Amino acid sequence: MNWGIIGTGNMGTVILNALIESNAVDDRNIYVNNRTFLKAYQLKEDHPGLHVLQTVDAMAETCDVIFLCTKPKEIISIAHRLNGQLNDKQLVISITSSISVDHLQQLLGCQTARMIPSITNRVLHGTTLLTFSSSITEEMKQMLTQTCKLFSDPVEVDEQYVRVSSDLVSCGPAFISYLLQTLIKGAQEQTGVDEKTATQLVETMMIGYGKLLEEGIYDLNSLKEKVMVKGGITGEGMKALELCVPDGFNEVFKKTHEKFYNEQNHADELVNELKTKN
């Protein structure tokens, strides 16, 4: 089976490395296409067996499974271009929350799905979010799910929860990184500790934190309670966090969903426009 990746930006490259390093797919069975050819060819330095194709049409001719890893508007355009070149045995996968399996199904005469990755898949951990269209066969559905299990914990998610799930899984690492950077900055401003030392302390703390969760020694709540001794200093710090953090995350989800609905409506318009032209 040949696998194709159209768009070798951040997430396209994460998927490429996850497939290869988990031994899910041999690099000789992976084909990539990118608007900037040099960027695609650079990937061959780490994966010599990789194939670079010049056009998306060539991807349709060569690949059984194709990931669309571009911006939402480009995904619609590429899907429209591929229409008529794919058969019902092939699978096209969007990795963007705002491009639904229904969008793809309206444009393509093949099997379709959505897989939202996380940067944590780069180290063969974390979650992938899966949504399947009615066009996908049970065999193909199981094949994709089992492949994802080699580098992640795949979770099938309903359309109504796809955005919030993506916020937690895909955006979450960026949100957590910002919070940790804010923690470091606060430590600098209040105490004068140098940034390098504070950063090292926080990074090693987070590695240990992840291990505690991974090994099941604590869950989120029990870990917090174990550290926050009654009447202790941690509790005083927690009081300050409780005043500012909850409302902040409510705003985060409002903003991400607002952007999501705008992109989804735009995708609806593009799909309808293309269907009208046809």
Side-chain angles (χ1 to χ4, degrees):
M1 180 176 282
N2 291 330
W3 297 66
I5 299 174
I6 299 177
T8 56
N10 290 338
M11 285 298 104
T13 302
V14 165
I15 291 171
L16 171 69
N17 285 311
L19 289 172
I20 294 172
E21 292 178 17
S22 67
N23 295 316
V25 183
D26 190 285
D27 63 358
R28 291 170 295 183
N29 295 111
I30 299 181
Y31 297 75
V32 298
N33 167 268
N34 194 67
R35 185 169 52 186
T36 304
F37 294 136
L38 179 60
K39 190 172 183 180
Y41 277 108
Q42 287 174 338
L43 295 172
K44 288 177 67 64
E45 295 177 8
D46 294 322
H47 309 295
L50 193 70
H51 306 276
V52 178
L53 298 182
Q54 301 294 316
T55 66
V56 297
D57 305 275
M59 299 289 278
E61 295 172 3
T62 308
C63 300
D64 304 288
V65 179
I66 300 173
F67 288 96
L68 302 183
C69 304
T70 62
K71 294 179 179 179
K73 184 177 179 179
E74 293 170 349
I75 287 178
I76 296 294
S77 176
I78 293 169
H80 178 64
R81 180 170 176 176
L82 290 174
N83 186 33
Q85 301 186 60
L86 300 168
N87 60 57
D88 60 5
K89 296 186 183 301
Q90 291 171 286
L91 172 65
V92 171
I93 305 167
S94 163
I95 68 161
T96 304
S97 65
S98 56
I99 304 300
S100 67
V101 291
D102 183 59
H103 287 135
L104 292 181
Q105 200 164 3
Q106 290 184 65
L107 293 169
L108 294 163
C110 66
Q111 300 178 60
T112 60
R114 177 173 57 208
M115 186 195 87
I116 300 175
S118 167
I119 198 167
T120 55
N121 301 155
R122 179 65 181 82
V123 289
L124 314 185
H125 282 280
T127 301
T128 46
L129 303 174
L130 299 175
T131 309
F132 303 105
S133 72
S134 59
S135 67
I136 194 168
T137 64
E138 187 62 29
E139 180 182 16
M140 188 68 85
K141 179 178 177 180
Q142 290 302 316
M143 184 280 298
L144 181 59
T145 302
Q146 292 302 317
T147 299
C148 289
K149 283 184 178 180
L150 295 175
F151 58 83
S152 69
D153 178 24
V155 175
E156 188 171 353
V157 60
D158 292 337
E159 190 68 36
Q160 63 177 322
Y161 297 122
V162 70
R163 183 58 254 163
V164 68
S165 299
S166 185
D167 288 341
L168 297 172
V169 165
S170 193
C171 302
F175 297 154
I176 296 300
S177 293
Y178 173 76
L179 290 175
L180 294 176
Q181 288 175 319
T182 304
L183 176 66
I184 292 166
K185 184 178 179 181
Q188 287 180 269
E189 292 177 350
Q190 292 299 314
T191 73
V193 65
D194 67 276
E195 182 179 4
K196 182 178 179 181
T197 298
T199 300
Q200 181 182 7
L201 292 174
V202 167
E203 287 180 348
T204 54
M205 178 274 293
M206 283 301 297
I207 292 169
Y209 179 95
K211 290 290 185 181
L212 289 172
L213 296 177
E214 182 181 36
E215 295 179 18
I217 297 173
Y218 300 109
D219 59 21
L220 293 176
N221 190 60
S222 62
L223 197 159
K224 180 188 70 174
E225 295 302 323
K226 196 71 174 178
V227 175
M228 196 169 62
V229 180
K230 186 175 181 180
I233 292 176
T234 305
E236 291 303 307
M238 191 65 69
K239 290 177 183 178
L241 286 176
E242 290 171 346
L243 290 174
C244 58
V245 172
D247 287 343
F249 274 115
N250 283 332
E251 288 301 313
V252 165
F253 293 119
K254 286 179 184 177
K255 289 295 184 182
T256 58
H257 280 70
E258 180 180 329
K259 175 70 171 176
F260 168 71
Y261 291 128
N262 286 338
E263 286 190 352
Q264 200 170 57
N265 289 337
H266 186 50
D268 288 339
E269 292 172 2
L270 289 174
V271 170
N272 290 332
E273 182 181 332
L274 290 172
K275 288 172 63 179
T276 301
K277 287 182 178 179
N278 291 340

